[in-house]
Amino acid sequence: MPQNASLGAIPSTGGVPNPQWSSLLGNLLFFYEAQRSGKLPSTNRVKWRNDSALTDGEDVKLDLTGGYYDAGDYIKCTFPLQIQTPYLDDMLRWSLDWLIKAHPSNDTLFVQIADTNLTNAYWGGDQNIPEPRPSYQINITSPGTDVAAGTAAAFAACSNLYANRVFSSSYSGPATLQNSTYAATLLEHAQQLYNFATSAPKVVYQQSVPQAGVAYPSSGYGDDLAIAALFLSWGLNSTSLYQQAQTYYSQYNLSSYQGVFNWDSKTPGLPILFAQIAQANPSFGNVSNWQTEAESYLDGVVYGGGEGYSTRGGLLYYPSDSEDASLNPALNAAMLLNRYLPLASTEKRKQDYYNYAKGQVDYALGKNPMSVPYVVGANPNSPQNPHSAMASEAYVLYGAVVGGPDKYDRFFDIRADWPETEPAIDYNAPMLTLAAMHVLNDTSDPFYTSLQAGAYQRPAGMPCDAAYTDGCGGPQLSEGGQIAVGVIVGCAGIVIFSLVGWWGWLSWKGDYDPCHY
């Protein structure tokens, strides 16, 4: 169970595993339990949560109960995957079993449960969630290339995990969740959805399901096709699928991308995955070509030249993409940098990439101008007012990573200010992976253990973001506009959780030490 926040201000005695990093990792996982939908298991640790949304799927005569609520509200999407023992298998299956339910036939995939507008207008606990909760699907007549391919990638990535199809000793020891039957089931769903994505007309899914696109519009599908083909190539030992992924990478001009890595834009992760597979099995491709491609992007992040820049406080910030949740792009970049370290072409790059990633993690954990660790319940200076309907003012939402500060490094800790204080399952994903890397490889504590109560002082003035414009002087978004952009995690973002679930587990269980050279 989570420890009291006051204990996060007390340095540990160090050692491996580091107790403070272990506590943080446990809290990050606890948040996912708090986000569960459906009938809760007897192992539920979040005592203030209840069974909820038990009629999901009745409108289409299916059982679509279960899964995770995406953020501070009660929408569910074709999505989440997460990690860690002793809860790793339980957490993964809670999401994967729901994805299996959401894929009842080869060419049908349910992509969202509940109406965005109705759900966002409700602020209350999990026993009075408003109905109806319509079920939105893509199918052969109303396809969605992005979400079908993205879900295929998720199934394939987790099939690889359960089948112990690891890349190399640089990334892992043997996986402990081996279950060949479950791996085969996941791989079958992956193949079916990939075939659906490639055989149906190519469209972004909001063209077929406009209602889902209100909250989660997708910008394209080339990256989804490529990452699905890559994970399947490893799962099926198929060089032809690897080559098909290379074709997608070229066909959709993904090489020129220098923007954010997030739920909608998976392109920056592709060269790293290409390189990992080629390194593990040289018959698939030329690893050096993909090292060059990966380093072109990562150099832009670390040395400048990409689309992001550093705030005065040191946070990697992408204009537009960071405005609704500033920490997520920065932590995603840190995750990519750490995953690439074993492949870095020079020792200088390896050290610089590591240092840059560490700086982003330290920022998120309190080494910032506000002295705020942006994880609820981690320290007395953690956010006190997360924008969560289910927790609201009544409960501590331990382990929730909030949106983060504005571009001026200011954090106001206002519950209604969703760009700064809303938690979401994809916000936790990179921090979960990064914390897992530290648990067994880092003897020093997270930065926040050096912060005593009262270090955070709310800044003067008001925020300048999509929820509050008092600090900007411009017009405030309408309620409808806030709803349209207020939910950050997209249905198309399932692949990021595949990457997190796969890479994070490998690093956590592995013998690779990113902190030692």
Side-chain angles (χ1 to χ4, degrees):
M1 295 296 290
Q3 65 180 17
N4 187 279
S6 63
L7 298 178
I10 302 174
S12 75
T13 56
V16 176
N18 178 278
Q20 285 288 5
W21 280 109
S22 297
S23 177
L24 174 62
L25 185 60
N27 284 8
L28 293 166
L29 282 166
F30 188 85
F31 168 71
Y32 286 95
E33 290 194 44
Q35 294 296 113
R36 283 178 170 178
S37 177
K39 183 170 180 58
L40 302 181
S42 59
T43 56
N44 171 50
R45 297 182 296 163
V46 188
K47 300 308 180 186
W48 49 269
R49 281 301 321 281
N50 303 283
D51 297 344
S52 61
L54 298 180
T55 61
D56 283 358
E58 284 189 356
D59 58 325
V60 290
K61 295 180 172 57
L62 290 172
D63 175 10
L64 295 176
T65 60
Y68 291 94
Y69 297 120
D70 72 298
D73 49 32
Y74 295 100
I75 291 175
K76 297 191 309 189
C77 271
T78 311
F79 205 138
L81 303 174
Q82 286 334 306
I83 5 187
Q84 196 219 8
T85 300
Y87 305 105
L88 173 63
D89 188 41
D90 190 33
M91 299 296 286
L92 280 172
R93 286 183 185 246
W94 192 265
S95 52
L96 290 168
D97 288 350
W98 186 77
L99 286 177
I100 290 170
K101 289 181 181 181
H103 181 223
S105 62
N106 290 2
D107 301 332
T108 299
L109 179 68
F110 286 87
V111 297
Q112 181 171 311
I113 307 296
D115 177 82
T116 303
N117 292 355
L118 181 63
T119 301
N120 275 274
Y122 171 68
W123 188 263
D126 57 16
Q127 293 186 298
N128 296 292
I129 299 172
E131 294 184 341
R133 291 173 56 81
S135 306
Y136 300 106
Q137 65 176 278
I138 58 168
N139 52 47
I140 195 64
T141 57
S142 301
T145 311
D146 40 14
V147 69
T151 311
F155 277 128
C158 291
S159 173
N160 292 339
L161 175 62
Y162 279 97
N164 193 27
R165 289 187 288 263
V166 299
F167 290 136
S168 73
S169 59
S170 297
Y171 288 94
S172 73
T176 61
L177 294 183
Q178 297 179 44
N179 185 317
S180 59
T181 301
Y182 199 54
T185 297
L186 299 176
L187 190 60
E188 181 181 13
H189 281 276
Q191 291 176 274
Q192 291 171 352
L193 281 167
Y194 181 72
N195 291 337
F196 174 32
T198 55
S199 62
K202 304 293 191 297
V203 295
V204 291
Y205 84 118
Q206 65 261 28
Q207 291 187 24
S208 298
V209 191
Q211 301 92 332
V214 169
Y216 309 146
S218 171
S219 61
Y221 47 76
D223 54 343
D224 299 288
L225 289 168
I227 208 163
L230 272 177
F231 276 123
L232 277 167
S233 75
W234 191 246
L236 297 169
N237 192 29
S238 170
T239 56
S240 63
L241 278 169
Y242 187 91
Q243 292 164 2
Q244 184 61 61
Q246 293 183 112
T247 299
Y248 291 136
Y249 194 82
S250 174
Q251 176 183 348
Y252 294 103
N253 195 31
L254 301 181
S255 179
S256 62
Y257 184 80
Q258 290 291 315
V260 69
F261 175 54
N262 64 11
W263 61 267
D264 181 44
S265 303
K266 301 92 178 175
T267 298
L270 290 171
I272 299 173
L273 189 54
F274 273 116
Q276 287 176 324
I277 293 174
Q279 182 196 48
N281 187 342
S283 68
F284 275 74
N286 187 324
V287 64
S288 64
N289 290 343
W290 290 109
Q291 284 175 299
T292 300
E293 189 74 8
E295 289 176 4
S296 174
Y297 176 83
L298 297 175
D299 282 359
V301 172
V302 174
Y303 304 126
E307 294 181 9
Y309 68 90
S310 289
T311 65
R312 290 185 177 181
L315 180 68
L316 175 63
Y317 196 94
Y318 289 86
S320 181
D321 287 297
S322 294
E323 291 174 5
D324 290 340
S326 61
L327 290 176
N328 187 244
L331 291 174
N332 285 337
M335 181 181 67
L336 286 183
L337 288 162
N338 270 302
R339 295 314 306 136
Y340 184 73
L341 289 179
L343 287 162
S345 62
T346 67
E347 286 300 314
K348 183 180 186 304
R349 275 198 175 91
K350 184 180 292 186
Q351 189 67 59
D352 289 348
Y353 286 4
Y354 171 73
N355 289 341
Y356 189 91
K358 183 178 185 300
Q360 299 306 302
V361 175
D362 285 347
Y363 184 105
L365 296 182
K367 194 176 183 179
N368 56 64
M370 293 283 96
S371 295
V372 173
Y374 290 106
V375 182
V376 176
N379 175 275
N381 299 286
S382 292
Q384 302 296 308
N385 300 292
H387 182 88
S388 168
M390 65 180 70
S392 192
E393 293 86 0
Y395 306 102
V396 178
L397 194 60
Y398 285 104
V401 177
V402 299
D406 65 14
K407 61 185 176 182
Y408 304 114
D409 300 292
R410 302 177 305 171
F411 182 73
F412 292 86
D413 201 13
I414 300 172
R415 196 178 303 278
D417 188 21
W418 56 261
E420 292 196 1
T421 59
E422 185 168 28
I425 51 180
D426 75 321
Y427 299 175
N428 268 52
M431 181 61 82
L432 186 63
T433 303
L434 292 160
M437 293 177 182
H438 284 275
V439 167
L440 295 181
N441 294 319
D442 198 344
T443 59
S444 60
D445 291 335
F447 182 84
Y448 58 71
T449 60
S450 65
L451 297 174
Q452 299 305 304
Y456 166 67
Q457 297 294 318
R458 180 173 166 177
M462 290 296 288
C464 174
D465 55 37
Y468 282 88
T469 57
D470 304 58
C472 308
Q476 186 171 351
L477 280 180
S478 66
E479 180 180 357
Q482 291 184 30
I483 289 171
V485 296
V487 182
I488 309 302
V489 184
C491 293
I494 187 161
V495 175
I496 191 173
F497 282 87
S498 304
L499 291 168
V500 169
W502 180 234
W503 292 346
W505 171 248
L506 293 183
S507 63
W508 185 67
K509 291 300 293 180
D511 54 11
Y512 170 62
D513 181 354
C515 304
H516 177 72
Y517 300 112

